[in-house]
mmCIF file with all atom_site columns, all heavy atoms in Angstrom:
data_model
loop_
_atom_site.group_PDB
_atom_site.id
_atom_site.type_symbol
_atom_site.label_atom_id
_atom_site.label_alt_id
_atom_site.label_comp_id
_atom_site.label_asym_id
_atom_site.label_entity_id
_atom_site.label_seq_id
_atom_site.pdbx_PDB_ins_code
_atom_site.Cartn_x
_atom_site.Cartn_y
_atom_site.Cartn_z
_atom_site.occupancy
_atom_site.B_iso_or_equiv
_atom_site.pdbx_formal_charge
_atom_site.auth_seq_id
_atom_site.auth_comp_id
_atom_site.auth_asym_id
_atom_site.auth_atom_id
_atom_site.pdbx_PDB_model_num
ATOM 1  N N   . ASP A 1 3   ? 3.773   1.579  -1.369  1.00 0.00 ? 297 ASP A N   1
ATOM 2  C CA  . ASP A 1 3   ? 4.282   1.754  -2.727  1.00 0.00 ? 297 ASP A CA  1
ATOM 3  C C   . ASP A 1 3   ? 3.260   2.453  -3.602  1.00 0.00 ? 297 ASP A C   1
ATOM 4  O O   . ASP A 1 3   ? 3.596   3.294  -4.430  1.00 0.00 ? 297 ASP A O   1
ATOM 5  C CB  . ASP A 1 3   ? 4.643   0.395  -3.336  1.00 0.00 ? 297 ASP A CB  1
ATOM 6  C CG  . ASP A 1 3   ? 5.920   -0.176 -2.737  1.00 0.00 ? 297 ASP A CG  1
ATOM 7  O OD1 . ASP A 1 3   ? 6.684   0.609  -2.150  1.00 0.00 ? 297 ASP A OD1 1
ATOM 8  O OD2 . ASP A 1 3   ? 6.129   -1.392 -2.858  1.00 0.00 ? 297 ASP A OD2 1
ATOM 9  N N   . GLY A 1 23  ? -5.854  3.381  -19.630 1.00 0.00 ? 317 GLY A N   1
ATOM 10 C CA  . GLY A 1 23  ? -5.636  2.978  -21.013 1.00 0.00 ? 317 GLY A CA  1
ATOM 11 C C   . GLY A 1 23  ? -4.189  2.625  -21.267 1.00 0.00 ? 317 GLY A C   1
ATOM 12 O O   . GLY A 1 23  ? -3.330  2.732  -20.387 1.00 0.00 ? 317 GLY A O   1
ATOM 13 N N   . SER A 1 75  ? 5.671   13.742 -20.775 1.00 0.00 ? 369 SER A N   1
ATOM 14 C CA  . SER A 1 75  ? 6.078   14.889 -21.585 1.00 0.00 ? 369 SER A CA  1
ATOM 15 C C   . SER A 1 75  ? 4.865   15.645 -22.119 1.00 0.00 ? 369 SER A C   1
ATOM 16 O O   . SER A 1 75  ? 4.898   16.869 -22.254 1.00 0.00 ? 369 SER A O   1
ATOM 17 C CB  . SER A 1 75  ? 6.968   14.426 -22.744 1.00 0.00 ? 369 SER A CB  1
ATOM 18 O OG  . SER A 1 75  ? 6.229   13.708 -23.723 1.00 0.00 ? 369 SER A OG  1
ATOM 19 N N   . PRO A 1 93  ? -2.206  -7.320 -8.926  1.00 0.00 ? 387 PRO A N   1
ATOM 20 C CA  . PRO A 1 93  ? -2.252  -8.694 -9.449  1.00 0.00 ? 387 PRO A CA  1
ATOM 21 C C   . PRO A 1 93  ? -2.905  -8.793 -10.820 1.00 0.00 ? 387 PRO A C   1
ATOM 22 O O   . PRO A 1 93  ? -2.613  -9.709 -11.584 1.00 0.00 ? 387 PRO A O   1
ATOM 23 C CB  . PRO A 1 93  ? -3.060  -9.445 -8.383  1.00 0.00 ? 387 PRO A CB  1
ATOM 24 C CG  . PRO A 1 93  ? -3.827  -8.389 -7.659  1.00 0.00 ? 387 PRO A CG  1
ATOM 25 C CD  . PRO A 1 93  ? -2.956  -7.170 -7.671  1.00 0.00 ? 387 PRO A CD  1
ATOM 26 N N   . ASN A 1 174 ? -21.971 18.728 -7.074  1.00 0.00 ? 468 ASN A N   1
ATOM 27 C CA  . ASN A 1 174 ? -22.655 17.445 -6.999  1.00 0.00 ? 468 ASN A CA  1
ATOM 28 C C   . ASN A 1 174 ? -21.784 16.410 -6.293  1.00 0.00 ? 468 ASN A C   1
ATOM 29 O O   . ASN A 1 174 ? -20.560 16.449 -6.373  1.00 0.00 ? 468 ASN A O   1
ATOM 30 C CB  . ASN A 1 174 ? -23.006 16.959 -8.410  1.00 0.00 ? 468 ASN A CB  1
ATOM 31 C CG  . ASN A 1 174 ? -23.841 15.690 -8.404  1.00 0.00 ? 468 ASN A CG  1
ATOM 32 O OD1 . ASN A 1 174 ? -23.305 14.594 -8.427  1.00 0.00 ? 468 ASN A OD1 1
ATOM 33 N ND2 . ASN A 1 174 ? -25.152 15.847 -8.373  1.00 0.00 ? 468 ASN A ND2 1
ATOM 34 N N   . GLY A 1 179 ? -22.973 4.477  -9.232  1.00 0.00 ? 473 GLY A N   1
ATOM 35 C CA  . GLY A 1 179 ? -24.231 3.992  -9.777  1.00 0.00 ? 473 GLY A CA  1
ATOM 36 C C   . GLY A 1 179 ? -24.838 4.926  -10.798 1.00 0.00 ? 473 GLY A C   1
ATOM 37 O O   . GLY A 1 179 ? -25.902 4.641  -11.353 1.00 0.00 ? 473 GLY A O   1
ATOM 38 N N   . SER A 1 258 ? -14.486 28.773 -41.972 1.00 0.00 ? 552 SER A N   1
ATOM 39 C CA  . SER A 1 258 ? -15.757 28.099 -41.721 1.00 0.00 ? 552 SER A CA  1
ATOM 40 C C   . SER A 1 258 ? -15.487 26.604 -41.659 1.00 0.00 ? 552 SER A C   1
ATOM 41 O O   . SER A 1 258 ? -14.394 26.142 -42.015 1.00 0.00 ? 552 SER A O   1
ATOM 42 C CB  . SER A 1 258 ? -16.764 28.403 -42.832 1.00 0.00 ? 552 SER A CB  1
ATOM 43 O OG  . SER A 1 258 ? -16.320 27.842 -44.064 1.00 0.00 ? 552 SER A OG  1
ATOM 44 N N   . LYS A 1 274 ? -1.819  12.695 -52.697 1.00 0.00 ? 568 LYS A N   1
ATOM 45 C CA  . LYS A 1 274 ? -2.066  11.460 -53.448 1.00 0.00 ? 568 LYS A CA  1
ATOM 46 C C   . LYS A 1 274 ? -1.445  11.543 -54.836 1.00 0.00 ? 568 LYS A C   1
ATOM 47 O O   . LYS A 1 274 ? -0.908  10.551 -55.355 1.00 0.00 ? 568 LYS A O   1
ATOM 48 C CB  . LYS A 1 274 ? -3.569  11.213 -53.548 1.00 0.00 ? 568 LYS A CB  1
ATOM 49 C CG  . LYS A 1 274 ? -3.945  9.940  -54.287 1.00 0.00 ? 568 LYS A CG  1
ATOM 50 C CD  . LYS A 1 274 ? -5.462  9.773  -54.335 1.00 0.00 ? 568 LYS A CD  1
ATOM 51 C CE  . LYS A 1 274 ? -5.857  8.530  -55.116 1.00 0.00 ? 568 LYS A CE  1
ATOM 52 N NZ  . LYS A 1 274 ? -7.343  8.385  -55.184 1.00 0.00 ? 568 LYS A NZ  1
ATOM 53 N N   . ASN A 1 275 ? -1.490  12.724 -55.430 1.00 0.00 ? 569 ASN A N   1
ATOM 54 C CA  . ASN A 1 275 ? -0.949  12.903 -56.784 1.00 0.00 ? 569 ASN A CA  1
ATOM 55 C C   . ASN A 1 275 ? 0.566   12.725 -56.838 1.00 0.00 ? 569 ASN A C   1
ATOM 56 O O   . ASN A 1 275 ? 1.130   12.482 -57.910 1.00 0.00 ? 569 ASN A O   1
ATOM 57 C CB  . ASN A 1 275 ? -1.321  14.286 -57.318 1.00 0.00 ? 569 ASN A CB  1
ATOM 58 C CG  . ASN A 1 275 ? -2.804  14.397 -57.639 1.00 0.00 ? 569 ASN A CG  1
ATOM 59 O OD1 . ASN A 1 275 ? -3.484  13.392 -57.834 1.00 0.00 ? 569 ASN A OD1 1
ATOM 60 N ND2 . ASN A 1 275 ? -3.318  15.622 -57.677 1.00 0.00 ? 569 ASN A ND2 1
ATOM 61 N N   . ASP A 1 297 ? 5.580   11.611 -41.428 1.00 0.00 ? 591 ASP A N   1
ATOM 62 C CA  . ASP A 1 297 ? 6.602   12.541 -40.958 1.00 0.00 ? 591 ASP A CA  1
ATOM 63 C C   . ASP A 1 297 ? 6.018   13.889 -40.563 1.00 0.00 ? 591 ASP A C   1
ATOM 64 O O   . ASP A 1 297 ? 6.637   14.629 -39.801 1.00 0.00 ? 591 ASP A O   1
ATOM 65 C CB  . ASP A 1 297 ? 7.655   12.767 -42.049 1.00 0.00 ? 591 ASP A CB  1
ATOM 66 C CG  . ASP A 1 297 ? 8.514   11.535 -42.257 1.00 0.00 ? 591 ASP A CG  1
ATOM 67 O OD1 . ASP A 1 297 ? 9.146   11.102 -41.293 1.00 0.00 ? 591 ASP A OD1 1
ATOM 68 O OD2 . ASP A 1 297 ? 8.527   11.005 -43.381 1.00 0.00 ? 591 ASP A OD2 1
#
Side-chain angles (χ1 to χ4, degrees):
D297 287 341
S369 71
N468 186 270
S552 66
K568 181 180 178 181
N569 289 339
D591 290 301

